[in-house]
């Protein structure tokens, strides 16, 4: 069976990737799923607490990227993810969102000619001063499978010249996470 590599690095990635990770795991137990955590967010409150509460497995690889400038984080994640991809040779790399780890993983996979699926493709703020906006655009243009969360996102992608056959309107996986974990959250009575 092919191997699918999910690369996460920061708190929002966990919530966006978990529904897709779970769906693939439930679809075929023979499918090998590799979970790589770059460590862009690395402390208990920004990382492992979300992995545990979302029910994700312990990451197979933890890269310890840590803090730094955008360039430093992206570079360390790029080198680390490339090593993982060379060692494990997945058939697909799945990334989510717009953090530095997302761009680094998409770039590493692209250079190795491994297809990339981008969860939350097409999201745009149109604020070019945001580093995340550059990460979003570049990741989308490196990806072969663009998993858009809304009609607006699909329109953004087609306006940018991305082949509509690569774009798939799948909905918002962040909302999927909310609905899946809402009963548990309400049971805690946070109010």
């Amino acid at each position: 069976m092919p191997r699918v590599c999910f690369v996460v690095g920061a708190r929002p990635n966990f919530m966006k990737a978990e529904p897709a990770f779970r769906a693939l795991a439930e679809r075929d137990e023979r499918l090998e799923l590799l979970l790589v955590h770059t460590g862009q967010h690395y402390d208990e409150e920004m990382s492992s607490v979300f992995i545990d509460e979302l029910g994700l497995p312990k990451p197979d690889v933890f890269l310890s990227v840590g803090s730094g400038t955008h360039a430093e984080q992206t570079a360390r994640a790029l080198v680390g993810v490339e090593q993982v991809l060379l060692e494990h040779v997945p058939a697909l790399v799945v990334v989510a969102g717009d953090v530095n780890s997302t761009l680094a993983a998409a770039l590493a996979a692209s250079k190795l000619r491994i297809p990339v699926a981008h969860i939350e493709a097409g999201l745009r703020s149109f604020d070019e001063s945001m580093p995340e906006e550059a990460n979003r655009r570049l990741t989308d243009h490196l990806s072969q499978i663009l998993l858009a969360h809304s009609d607006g996102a699909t329109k953004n992608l087609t306006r940018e010249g991305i082949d509509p056959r690569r774009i798939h309107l799948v909905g918002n996986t962040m909302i999927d996470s909310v609905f899946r974990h809402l009963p548990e959250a309400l049971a805690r009575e946070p109010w």
Side-chain angles (χ1 to χ4, degrees):
M1 285 298 283
R3 179 177 292 142
V4 177
C5 178
F6 280 75
V7 180
V8 295
R11 180 179 51 191
N13 295 156
F14 309 134
M15 292 172 256
K16 293 170 188 170
E18 184 273 333
F21 188 95
R22 182 178 30 79
L24 282 178
E26 291 171 357
R27 183 177 180 93
D28 190 338
E29 64 187 32
R30 296 172 300 157
L31 186 63
E32 186 178 344
L33 300 178
L34 180 71
L35 184 60
V36 177
H37 184 344
T38 67
Q40 182 175 330
H41 284 173
Y42 47 86
D43 71 14
E44 176 72 22
E45 295 301 313
M46 297 284 277
S47 181
S48 57
V49 69
F50 289 97
I51 291 169
D52 294 343
E53 289 190 7
L54 290 169
L56 282 166
K58 181 179 181 227
D60 298 291
V61 178
F62 185 78
L63 296 176
S64 300
V65 165
S67 300
T69 68
H70 290 289
E72 290 168 336
Q73 273 189 338
T74 305
R76 286 194 297 268
L78 177 61
V79 169
V81 170
E82 179 187 53
Q83 290 171 347
V84 170
L85 299 180
L86 287 168
E87 180 181 341
H88 294 279
V89 194
L92 178 69
V93 172
V94 180
V95 297
D98 56 14
V99 299
N100 294 331
S101 296
T102 301
L103 175 59
L107 186 56
S110 176
K111 299 261 186 193
L112 295 171
R113 305 185 103 172
I114 299 170
V116 177
H118 184 202
I119 297 170
E120 201 179 64
L123 178 66
R124 298 290 181 267
S125 69
F126 302 104
D127 180 351
E128 299 298 329
S129 69
M130 294 177 62
E132 294 84 0
E133 188 71 357
N135 291 349
R136 291 178 192 126
R137 288 180 187 271
L138 293 168
T139 299
D140 284 340
H141 286 270
L142 292 168
S143 299
Q144 289 67 46
I145 302 169
L146 295 112
L147 304 171
H149 68 287
S150 68
D151 288 328
T154 61
K155 288 175 185 165
N156 291 336
L157 294 167
T158 55
R159 262 194 309 270
E160 292 176 18
I162 293 177
D163 184 344
R165 293 174 295 184
R166 293 171 36 205
I167 303 168
H168 307 276
L169 180 60
V170 297
N172 189 331
T173 59
M174 185 74 88
I175 299 301
D176 295 336
S177 283
V178 168
F179 284 145
R180 179 174 169 84
H181 298 283
L182 187 59
E184 200 176 305
L186 291 172
R188 293 180 180 185
E189 299 183 355
W191 51 89

